[in-house]
Amino acid sequence: MSVNQQAHTGPPYGQPQPGYQGYQQPAYGQSLPGAPQAQYGAYNGPMPGYQQPAPPQGYFPSLGFPSKGSPVSLNSDTSSLAPNFIGSLRAPPTSGAPPPASGASHPSGPLAYNQFEHGDVQNGIPASAAPVQRPPASQPFLPGSAPTPVSQISTFQQYGPPPASVQQLRNHMAGMTIGSTAASAPPPAGLGYASVPPVSGSFSATRSGLYTPYSTSQGPPLTSVSQGLPVAQPPFPAQTVSTQRLPTQVPAFTPPPPSTGVGPSSYPPTTGAPRPPAMPGPPLPGQTVAGPPSSQPNHVSSPPPPSTMAGLHPGPPMSGLHGPPPPTHPPQPGYPMQQNGSFGQIRGPQPNYGGAYPGAPNYGSPPGPPPPPKRLDPDSIPSPIQVIEDDRNNRGSEPFVTGVRGQVPPLVTTNFLVKDQGNASPRYIRCTSYNIPCTSDMAKQSQVPLAAVIKPLATLPPEETLPYLVDHGESGPVRCNRCKAYMCPFMQFIEGGRRFQCCFCSCVTEVPPHYFQHLDHTGKRVDFYDRPELSLGSYEFLATVDYCKNNKFPSPPAFIFMIDVSYNAVKSGLVRLICEELKSLLDYLPREGNMEESAIRVGFVTYNKVLHFYNVKSSLAQPQMMVVSDVADMFVPLLDGFLVNVNESRTVIASLLDQIPEMFADTRETETVFAPVIQAGLEALKAAECAGKLFIFHTSLPIAEAPGKLKNRDDRKLINTDKEKTLFQPQTSFYNNLAKDCVAQGCCVDLFLFPNQYLDVATLGVVPYQTGGSIFKYAYFQLETDQYRFLNDLRRDVQKDVGFDAVMRVRTSTGIRATDFFGAFYMSNTTDVEMAGLDCDKTITVEFKHDDKLSEDSGALLQCALLYTSCAGQRRLRIHNLSLNCCTQLADLYRNCETDTLINYLAKYAYRGVLSSPVKTVRDALINQCAQILACYRKNCASPSSAGQLILPECMKLLPVYLNCVLKSDVLQPGPEVTTDDRAYIRQLVTSMDVAETNVFFYPRLLPLTKADVDSDSLPAAIRNSEERLSKGDIYLLENGLNIFVWVGVSVQQSLIQNLFGVSSFSQISNALSTLPVLENPFSKKVRSIVDMLQGQRSRYMKLIVVKQEDKLEMLFKHFLVEDKSLTGGASYVDFLCHMHKEIRQLLS
């Protein structure tokens, strides 16, 4: 058929499909209508004879894509040569390390980005002699080889009637190649997990190709995928994916709008229609996906207990049923060149496309059932696992020295040491780009947001030095007279050291006499290395009384524990659990490094419809209770004896904590108040004239008569309507005003929620959110399964570093300014971020816009200054400085971006957008902005090539896969089992996450536990998040920062089950396990050490969920296999990549 023929325009991406009303799906484990009964097959392929349902109208195959290395190009022109096809897929390590040795055990995937260029590469289209397994050997690099004539045997595959299913459309998918500009190693074949896409049927065709690199002067490395005529065969490691040409009649390219505001985009609707049960197998590249994209992937906030699991929509087994794995057959090195699109496969017509000419014959195929489907090779599109692995190999061994301006740090997934030599560590600040455009026009053209994710009190590993504390005495820190920037390494001393010129505003300021020092022959002060503020990127100043409220030094902060003692809390055992834990936990309150004991005072309140205050003064024999029943006008009934020193009042506190569970053991009170509880804590801190934190343990919607009373307004019918945004907004402004009062006093609120039903997290979370606090949620709390997680969270929350009464300001050098802020804080003006409390896990994300031109010579500077009270009551200033490069060439911008930080910013931007815009508008804006970013790169930085190629910048080649994960997240695309509270909870949680947390949250880590080496400390190599990577004979661990799943295949060896779970068979494994049993054998010890290591890396204790293959909980687990199509309609990675290509082409034409 003609490759240039226009595709039928079926319903656009995400539109409803006829015939799929609602989410009804066959019960889990039943066969689909019309399919023969078959046992649920291995993850590596379907049972023979499993027929797939016909695809909904409007699925059209389009491009596929390559990945691992330099440019990926998708070519749809049959005539164009692919001048540089190289057989294997992975580009070389970017920092000169040799390519992995044969048999290397890390998973295949694209290269980590680097700062050096590779030319773009286009690729020829391979045809394969037999289904192929990728050999673990590097392809020879043949420099300067000219393209050689095509030599290729044409074979025909027998086809029956036109393919009638999604799977069969895959028959028309080609292999895909990503060329790379140096010898590269293909993905390893023998990793022991199913990394080879299953293929059935065989055909013989040879393929060959040498490649010649393009000139490397045209911009950063890219990833490019060529698309030509479809071929029905398994792609090679390095292959062109050829698929149908996308429609080319599209609107003209207009300059992208500025990135503020969530606006509409050209992306057709993706929510609003239910989606069919997932077709067996990931969708075709370029297939349009209908229905609301899935909510699942990236998190399950906290699955309800097993009894409620039945409410999950059952459905047929998802992707991964594709046929037995192919026989292995290594390709030959050094293929002769071949012309794009000229491979020897001729096939029957495709659905939605006319034949190549009227009456195109079905060569030699008698009518009959269509052959088993083939599919596009997912190994040939950019792999997050490979990028992470390459970055670890290339950058994990050397320390990251911060002395150079505009250096891109290693990825957050790489373990590296930081040496501060003048710029803040990436643990404190990460930027979306380290080379920013000189002009606002250039920034608007690229649409790359300029943002920094700042974590001012980040915890450092033990081998790195904490910021030095500098005390300048009563005169305080030295600052610029005009812009008030603090002394930093970029200030320029002049006139022999008597004055300094500000690096932010260029104002000249006198050096105070006590601070004067002579300059050496280079113009540096001779005490440069003795002063942290002149030689380091991060340091602290001791603040003077001028930096304190009411010009007096603060008192040490207080912690107030406020416990719900209503019927639910008492009956579930929660009240007793909290009281028991607090007895020992109070010995671990945070304290300054060398202090004997903590300076923090503590107080206790219990409540249901009324509040009970406790006097625990050390001179009392027994605690005294005072009840305040007038909740409409809250006051604190006692001053002396409410906030006490733990050591002085230890016996009285212990007595109180013993008595509370007994006092309320027979309560019948089910109603609770909430706002008066916060007001009580606030009044207590006001009376004590100190800042502090309230730890509130709360179980239900506050419906008792009181200020801040709420009603149940949960309404799932609002999903996918214009009113959906109201579900994320607080139902009353009362809590916003209360939050403002709390911030003014330095009263931070941490909220522990234990709901059994809706309790309006969107409203209850307002005060914790705006005061810089945290929310922890334990839905359907059960003592035996959830207590361990809750107690770990509580211990960490009480013990972690916190700054109180904090104000942060970000200063920038002339040319850019901070314009927008995201995170858990309050702002009363446009510049100051105010937080009653700021802990070591919280980030503030700042967006910058141009207000003038920047110069390449001077670069751009950021200074983040945080004023806060330490846990000992000391007022301090923490300063972080960062210098960035500026560029006049877009190629330099694209070469120095950080995709993980970009996704962190885009997710927060979108999650704020849902408060004011319909979710569909927010999703469209996200897709549109990313298409603009990639289209600008294609137009201005990539080598000229056919419009059918998708070309991605090397350091942004994971942007499509990560963006798809954000779009499929529960906030932007909820599945039927995701509650309104879950969505509000996740929205607030993500808003203050750091880059490492969003990375694993949106693209979870999947580890094959059966491949773990029990004798080493290392983790097994991660694999990609797709069902077809799972083998039913293995055990896998998946973590996303909130949950850890242990997935057990049905065919796992009995000895492994015995060693890990202590039971003799698969059927005896309990789903109710919340921790792994402690067994004395190497495998059990290894797995538990892996779980402990992962728990230690995360800010929250992750819930452990054991999932048996084919069990009802497996649906939950599949939410997290984010490269697959999701049950509620989210696109698979391959599909979304193709969709992005279509969007980019529309922008470019």
Coordinates of all heavy atoms in Angstrom, one line a residue, residues 568-636:
N568 N -14.6 5.6 67.0 CA -13.8 4.9 66.0 C -12.3 4.8 66.5 O -11.7 3.8 66.3 CB -13.8 5.7 64.7 CG -15.0 5.3 63.9 OD1 -15.7 4.3 64.2 ND2 -15.4 6.1 62.8
A569 N -11.8 5.9 67.0 CA -10.4 5.9 67.4 C -10.1 5.0 68.5 O -9.1 4.3 68.5 CB -9.9 7.4 67.7
V570 N -11.0 4.9 69.5 CA -10.8 4.1 70.6 C -11.0 2.6 70.2 O -10.2 1.7 70.6 CB -11.8 4.5 71.8 CG1 -11.7 3.5 72.9 CG2 -11.5 5.9 72.2
K571 N -12.1 2.3 69.5 CA -12.4 1.0 69.1 C -11.3 0.3 68.3 O -11.0 -0.9 68.4 CB -13.7 1.0 68.4 CG -14.3 -0.4 68.1 CD -15.6 -0.4 67.3 CE -15.4 0.3 66.0 NZ -15.8 -0.4 64.8
S572 N -10.7 1.1 67.4 CA -9.7 0.5 66.5 C -8.4 0.2 67.2 O -7.4 -0.3 66.6 CB -9.4 1.4 65.3 OG -8.8 2.6 65.8
G573 N -8.2 0.7 68.4 CA -7.0 0.5 69.2 C -6.0 1.6 69.0 O -4.9 1.6 69.5
L574 N -6.4 2.6 68.2 CA -5.5 3.7 67.8 C -5.0 4.5 69.0 O -3.9 4.9 69.2 CB -6.2 4.6 66.8 CG -5.4 5.7 66.2 CD1 -4.2 5.2 65.5 CD2 -6.2 6.6 65.3
V575 N -6.0 4.9 69.9 CA -5.7 5.7 71.0 C -4.6 5.1 71.9 O -3.7 5.7 72.3 CB -7.0 6.1 71.8 CG1 -6.6 6.8 73.1 CG2 -7.9 6.9 71.0
R576 N -4.9 3.8 72.2 CA -3.9 3.1 73.1 C -2.5 3.0 72.4 O -1.5 3.2 73.1 CB -4.4 1.7 73.4 CG -3.6 0.9 74.4 CD -4.3 -0.5 74.7 NE -5.6 -0.3 75.4 CZ -5.7 -0.1 76.7 NH1 -4.7 0.1 77.5 NH2 -6.9 0.0 77.2
L577 N -2.5 2.7 71.1 CA -1.3 2.6 70.3 C -0.5 4.0 70.4 O 0.7 4.0 70.7 CB -1.6 2.3 68.9 CG -0.4 2.1 68.0 CD1 0.4 0.8 68.3 CD2 -0.8 2.0 66.5
I578 N -1.2 5.1 70.2 CA -0.5 6.4 70.2 C 0.1 6.7 71.6 O 1.2 7.1 71.8 CB -1.5 7.5 69.8 CG1 -1.9 7.4 68.4 CG2 -0.9 8.9 70.1 CD1 -3.1 8.2 67.9
C579 N -0.7 6.4 72.7 CA -0.3 6.7 74.0 C 1.0 5.8 74.4 O 1.9 6.3 75.0 CB -1.4 6.5 75.0 SG -2.7 7.7 74.8
E580 N 0.9 4.6 74.0 CA 2.1 3.7 74.3 C 3.3 4.2 73.6 O 4.4 4.2 74.2 CB 1.8 2.3 73.8 CG 0.9 1.5 74.8 CD 1.4 1.3 76.2 OE1 2.7 1.1 76.3 OE2 0.7 1.5 77.1
E581 N 3.2 4.6 72.3 CA 4.3 5.0 71.5 C 4.9 6.3 72.1 O 6.1 6.5 72.2 CB 3.9 5.2 70.1 CG 5.0 5.7 69.2 CD 6.2 4.8 69.1 OE1 6.1 3.5 69.3 OE2 7.3 5.3 68.9
L582 N 4.0 7.3 72.5 CA 4.5 8.6 73.0 C 5.4 8.4 74.2 O 6.3 9.2 74.4 CB 3.4 9.5 73.2 CG 2.7 10.1 72.0 CD1 1.5 11.0 72.4 CD2 3.6 10.8 71.1
K583 N 5.1 7.4 75.0 CA 5.9 7.2 76.3 C 7.4 7.2 75.9 O 8.2 7.8 76.6 CB 5.5 6.0 77.0 CG 4.2 6.0 77.7 CD 4.0 4.7 78.4 CE 2.5 4.5 78.7 NZ 2.3 3.1 79.2
S584 N 7.7 6.4 74.9 CA 9.2 6.3 74.6 C 9.6 7.3 73.6 O 10.8 7.8 73.6 CB 9.4 4.9 74.0 OG 8.6 4.6 72.9
L585 N 8.7 7.8 72.7 CA 9.1 8.7 71.6 C 9.5 10.1 72.1 O 10.3 10.7 71.5 CB 7.9 8.8 70.6 CG 8.2 9.6 69.4 CD1 9.4 9.1 68.6 CD2 6.9 9.6 68.5
L586 N 9.0 10.4 73.3 CA 9.3 11.8 73.8 C 10.7 11.9 74.2 O 11.2 13.0 74.4 CB 8.4 12.1 75.0 CG 6.9 12.2 74.6 CD1 6.0 12.5 75.9 CD2 6.7 13.3 73.6
D587 N 11.5 10.8 74.3 CA 12.9 10.9 74.6 C 13.7 11.2 73.3 O 14.9 11.4 73.4 CB 13.4 9.5 75.1 CG 12.9 9.3 76.5 OD1 12.6 10.3 77.3 OD2 12.7 8.1 76.9
Y588 N 13.0 11.2 72.2 CA 13.8 11.4 70.9 C 13.4 12.7 70.2 O 13.5 12.8 69.0 CB 13.5 10.2 70.0 CG 14.1 9.0 70.6 CD1 13.2 8.1 71.3 CD2 15.4 8.6 70.5 CE1 13.7 6.9 71.8 CE2 15.9 7.4 71.0 CZ 15.1 6.6 71.7 OH 15.6 5.4 72.2
L589 N 13.0 13.7 71.0 CA 12.6 15.0 70.3 C 13.9 15.6 69.7 O 15.0 15.4 70.2 CB 12.0 16.0 71.4 CG 10.7 15.5 72.0 CD1 10.3 16.5 73.1 CD2 9.6 15.3 71.0
P590 N 13.7 16.4 68.6 CA 14.9 16.9 68.0 C 15.7 17.8 68.9 O 15.1 18.5 69.7 CB 14.4 17.7 66.8 CG 12.9 17.7 66.9 CD 12.5 16.7 67.9
R591 N 17.0 17.8 68.8 CA 17.8 18.7 69.6 C 19.1 19.2 68.8 O 19.5 18.5 67.9 CB 18.3 18.1 70.9 CG 19.0 16.8 70.7 CD 19.5 16.2 72.1 NE 20.3 15.1 72.0 CZ 20.0 13.8 72.2 NH1 18.7 13.6 72.6 NH2 20.8 12.8 72.1
E592 N 19.6 20.3 69.2 CA 20.8 20.8 68.5 C 22.0 19.7 68.7 O 22.0 19.1 69.8 CB 21.3 22.1 69.1 CG 20.3 23.2 68.8 CD 20.2 23.6 67.3 OE1 21.1 23.2 66.5 OE2 19.2 24.3 66.9
G593 N 22.9 19.7 67.8 CA 23.9 18.7 67.8 C 24.5 18.3 69.1 O 24.6 17.1 69.5
N594 N 25.0 19.3 69.9 CA 25.8 19.0 71.1 C 24.9 19.1 72.4 O 25.5 19.0 73.5 CB 27.0 19.9 71.2 CG 26.5 21.4 71.0 OD1 25.3 21.7 71.0 ND2 27.5 22.3 71.0
M595 N 23.6 19.3 72.3 CA 22.8 19.5 73.5 C 22.5 18.2 74.2 O 22.3 17.2 73.5 CB 21.5 20.2 73.2 CG 21.7 21.7 72.8 SD 20.1 22.4 72.2 CE 19.1 22.2 73.6
E596 N 22.5 18.2 75.5 CA 22.2 17.0 76.3 C 20.8 16.6 76.1 O 20.5 15.4 75.9 CB 22.4 17.3 77.8 CG 23.9 17.4 78.2 CD 24.5 16.1 78.2 OE1 23.9 15.1 78.8 OE2 25.7 16.0 77.7
E597 N 19.9 17.5 76.1 CA 18.5 17.2 76.0 C 17.8 18.2 75.1 O 18.3 19.3 74.8 CB 17.7 17.1 77.3 CG 17.7 18.4 78.1 CD 16.9 18.3 79.4 OE1 17.3 17.4 80.2 OE2 16.0 19.1 79.5
S598 N 16.6 17.8 74.6 CA 15.9 18.7 73.7 C 15.3 19.9 74.4 O 14.9 19.8 75.6 CB 14.7 18.0 73.0 OG 14.0 18.9 72.2
A599 N 15.3 21.1 73.8 CA 14.7 22.3 74.4 C 13.2 22.4 74.2 O 12.6 23.3 74.7 CB 15.4 23.5 73.8
I600 N 12.7 21.4 73.4 CA 11.3 21.5 73.0 C 10.4 21.1 74.2 O 10.6 20.1 74.8 CB 11.0 20.6 71.8 CG1 11.8 21.1 70.6 CG2 9.5 20.4 71.5 CD1 11.7 20.3 69.3
R601 N 9.4 21.9 74.4 CA 8.4 21.5 75.5 C 7.2 20.8 74.8 O 6.9 21.0 73.6 CB 7.9 22.8 76.2 CG 9.0 23.4 77.0 CD 8.6 24.8 77.6 NE 8.4 25.8 76.5 CZ 7.8 26.9 76.6 NH1 7.2 27.2 77.8 NH2 7.7 27.7 75.6
V602 N 6.5 20.0 75.6 CA 5.3 19.3 75.1 C 4.1 19.5 75.8 O 4.1 19.9 77.0 CB 5.6 17.8 75.1 CG1 6.8 17.4 74.2 CG2 5.8 17.2 76.5
G603 N 2.9 19.3 75.1 CA 1.6 19.5 75.8 C 0.7 18.4 75.2 O 0.9 17.8 74.1
F604 N -0.5 18.2 75.8 CA -1.4 17.1 75.4 C -2.8 17.6 75.5 O -3.3 18.2 76.4 CB -1.2 15.9 76.3 CG 0.2 15.3 76.3 CD1 1.1 15.8 77.3 CD2 0.6 14.4 75.4 CE1 2.4 15.3 77.3 CE2 1.9 13.9 75.4 CZ 2.8 14.4 76.3
V605 N -3.6 17.2 74.4 CA -5.0 17.5 74.3 C -5.7 16.3 73.8 O -5.2 15.6 72.9 CB -5.3 18.7 73.4 CG1 -6.8 18.9 73.1 CG2 -4.6 20.0 73.9
T606 N -6.9 15.9 74.3 CA -7.7 14.9 73.7 C -9.0 15.6 73.3 O -9.4 16.6 73.8 CB -8.0 13.7 74.6 OG1 -8.6 14.1 75.8 CG2 -6.7 12.9 74.9
Y607 N -9.7 15.0 72.3 CA -11.0 15.7 71.9 C -11.9 14.7 71.2 O -11.5 13.7 70.7 CB -10.7 16.8 70.9 CG -10.1 16.4 69.6 CD1 -10.9 16.2 68.5 CD2 -8.7 16.2 69.4 CE1 -10.4 15.8 67.3 CE2 -8.2 15.7 68.2 CZ -9.1 15.5 67.1 OH -8.6 15.1 65.9
N608 N -13.2 15.0 71.3 CA -14.2 14.4 70.4 C -15.1 15.6 70.0 O -14.8 16.3 69.1 CB -15.0 13.3 71.0 CG -15.3 13.5 72.5 OD1 -15.7 14.6 72.9 ND2 -15.0 12.5 73.3
K609 N -16.3 15.8 70.7 CA -17.1 17.0 70.4 C -16.6 18.1 71.3 O -17.0 19.3 71.1 CB -18.6 16.7 70.7 CG -19.3 16.2 69.5 CD -20.7 15.6 69.8 CE -21.6 16.6 70.5 NZ -23.0 16.0 70.5
V610 N -15.9 17.8 72.3 CA -15.4 18.8 73.3 C -13.9 18.6 73.4 O -13.3 17.6 72.9 CB -16.0 18.7 74.7 CG1 -17.5 19.0 74.6 CG2 -15.8 17.4 75.3
L611 N -13.1 19.5 74.0 CA -11.7 19.4 74.1 C -11.3 19.2 75.6 O -11.9 19.8 76.5 CB -11.0 20.7 73.6 CG -10.8 20.7 72.0 CD1 -12.1 21.0 71.3 CD2 -9.7 21.7 71.7
H612 N -10.3 18.3 75.8 CA -9.8 18.1 77.1 C -8.3 18.5 77.2 O -7.5 17.9 76.4 CB -9.9 16.6 77.5 CG -11.2 15.9 77.0 ND1 -11.2 15.1 75.9 CD2 -12.5 16.0 77.4 CE1 -12.4 14.7 75.6 NE2 -13.2 15.2 76.5
F613 N -8.0 19.4 78.1 CA -6.6 19.9 78.2 C -6.1 19.2 79.5 O -6.8 19.0 80.4 CB -6.6 21.4 78.4 CG -6.9 22.2 77.2 CD1 -8.3 22.4 76.8 CD2 -6.0 22.7 76.3 CE1 -8.6 23.1 75.7 CE2 -6.3 23.4 75.2 CZ -7.7 23.6 74.9
Y614 N -4.7 19.0 79.5 CA -4.2 18.3 80.6 C -3.0 19.1 81.2 O -2.1 19.6 80.6 CB -3.6 16.9 80.2 CG -4.7 16.0 79.7 CD1 -5.1 16.0 78.3 CD2 -5.5 15.3 80.6 CE1 -6.1 15.2 77.9 CE2 -6.6 14.5 80.2 CZ -6.9 14.5 78.8 OH -7.9 13.7 78.4
N615 N -3.1 19.2 82.6 CA -2.1 19.9 83.3 C -1.1 18.8 83.8 O -1.5 17.9 84.5 CB -2.7 20.6 84.5 CG -1.6 21.4 85.3 OD1 -0.4 21.1 85.2 ND2 -2.1 22.3 86.2
V616 N 0.1 18.8 83.2 CA 1.1 17.8 83.6 C 2.3 18.4 84.2 O 3.5 18.1 84.0 CB 1.5 17.0 82.3 CG1 0.5 16.0 82.0 CG2 1.8 17.9 81.1
K617 N 2.1 19.4 85.1 CA 3.2 20.2 85.8 C 3.9 19.1 86.6 O 3.3 18.3 87.3 CB 2.5 21.2 86.7 CG 3.4 22.3 87.1 CD 2.6 23.4 87.8 CE 3.5 24.4 88.4 NZ 2.7 25.5 89.1
S618 N 5.2 19.3 86.7 CA 6.1 18.3 87.4 C 5.8 18.2 88.9 O 6.0 17.2 89.5 CB 7.5 18.7 87.2 OG 7.8 20.0 87.7
S619 N 5.2 19.3 89.5 CA 4.9 19.2 90.9 C 3.7 18.4 91.3 O 3.4 18.1 92.4 CB 4.8 20.6 91.5 OG 3.8 21.3 90.8
L620 N 2.9 18.0 90.2 CA 1.6 17.3 90.5 C 1.9 15.8 90.7 O 2.8 15.2 90.1 CB 0.6 17.5 89.3 CG 0.1 18.9 89.1 CD1 -0.7 18.9 87.8 CD2 -0.8 19.4 90.3
A621 N 1.1 15.2 91.5 CA 1.2 13.7 91.7 C 0.5 13.0 90.6 O 0.9 12.0 90.1 CB 0.6 13.3 93.0
Q622 N -0.7 13.6 90.1 CA -1.5 13.0 89.0 C -1.8 14.2 88.0 O -1.9 15.3 88.4 CB -2.8 12.5 89.6 CG -2.6 11.1 90.3 CD -2.2 10.0 89.3 OE1 -2.7 10.0 88.2 NE2 -1.4 9.1 89.8
P623 N -1.9 13.8 86.7 CA -2.3 14.9 85.8 C -3.7 15.3 86.1 O -4.6 14.6 86.6 CB -2.3 14.1 84.4 CG -2.3 12.7 84.7 CD -1.7 12.5 86.1
Q624 N -4.0 16.6 85.7 CA -5.4 17.1 85.9 C -6.0 17.4 84.5 O -5.3 17.9 83.6 CB -5.3 18.4 86.6 CG -4.8 18.3 88.1 CD -4.6 19.6 88.8 OE1 -4.6 20.6 88.1 NE2 -4.4 19.5 90.1
M625 N -7.3 17.1 84.3 CA -8.0 17.3 83.1 C -8.9 18.5 83.2 O -9.6 18.7 84.2 CB -8.8 16.1 82.7 CG -9.6 16.2 81.4 SD -10.1 14.6 80.8 CE -11.8 14.6 81.3
M626 N -8.9 19.4 82.2 CA -9.8 20.5 82.1 C -10.6 20.4 80.8 O -10.0 20.3 79.7 CB -9.1 21.8 82.2 CG -8.3 21.9 83.5 SD -7.6 23.6 83.7 CE -6.7 23.3 85.2
V627 N -11.9 20.5 80.8 CA -12.7 20.3 79.6 C -13.2 21.6 79.1 O -13.7 22.4 79.9 CB -13.9 19.4 80.0 CG1 -14.8 19.2 78.7 CG2 -13.5 18.0 80.5
V628 N -13.1 21.9 77.9 CA -13.7 23.1 77.3 C -14.8 22.6 76.3 O -14.5 22.0 75.3 CB -12.6 23.9 76.5 CG1 -13.2 25.1 75.8 CG2 -11.5 24.4 77.4
S629 N -16.0 22.9 76.7 CA -17.1 22.5 75.8 C -17.6 23.6 74.9 O -18.4 23.3 74.0 CB -18.2 21.9 76.7 OG -18.6 22.9 77.7
D630 N -17.2 24.8 75.2 CA -17.6 25.9 74.4 C -16.7 26.0 73.2 O -15.8 26.9 73.2 CB -17.7 27.2 75.2 CG -18.1 28.4 74.3 OD1 -18.6 28.1 73.2 OD2 -18.1 29.6 74.8
V631 N -16.9 25.1 72.2 CA -16.0 25.1 71.1 C -16.1 26.3 70.1 O -15.3 26.5 69.3 CB -16.1 23.8 70.3 CG1 -15.6 22.6 71.1 CG2 -17.5 23.5 69.9
A632 N -17.2 27.0 70.3 CA -17.4 28.2 69.4 C -16.5 29.3 69.7 O -16.2 30.2 68.9 CB -18.8 28.7 69.4
D633 N -16.0 29.4 71.0 CA -15.1 30.5 71.4 C -13.9 29.8 72.1 O -13.9 29.8 73.4 CB -15.9 31.4 72.2 CG -15.0 32.6 72.6 OD1 -14.0 32.9 71.9 OD2 -15.3 33.3 73.6
M634 N -13.0 29.3 71.4 CA -11.9 28.5 72.0 C -11.0 29.3 72.8 O -10.5 30.4 72.4 CB -11.2 27.7 70.8 CG -10.2 26.7 71.3 SD -10.7 25.6 72.6 CE -12.1 24.8 71.9
F635 N -10.6 28.8 74.0 CA -9.6 29.4 74.8 C -8.8 28.2 75.5 O -9.3 27.1 75.5 CB -10.2 30.3 75.8 CG -11.0 29.6 76.9 CD1 -10.5 29.3 78.1 CD2 -12.3 29.3 76.6 CE1 -11.2 28.6 79.0 CE2 -13.1 28.6 77.5 CZ -12.6 28.3 78.8
V636 N -7.6 28.6 76.0 CA -6.8 27.5 76.7 C -7.1 27.8 78.2 O -6.7 28.8 78.8 CB -5.4 27.7 76.4 CG1 -4.5 26.7 77.1 CG2 -5.2 27.5 74.9

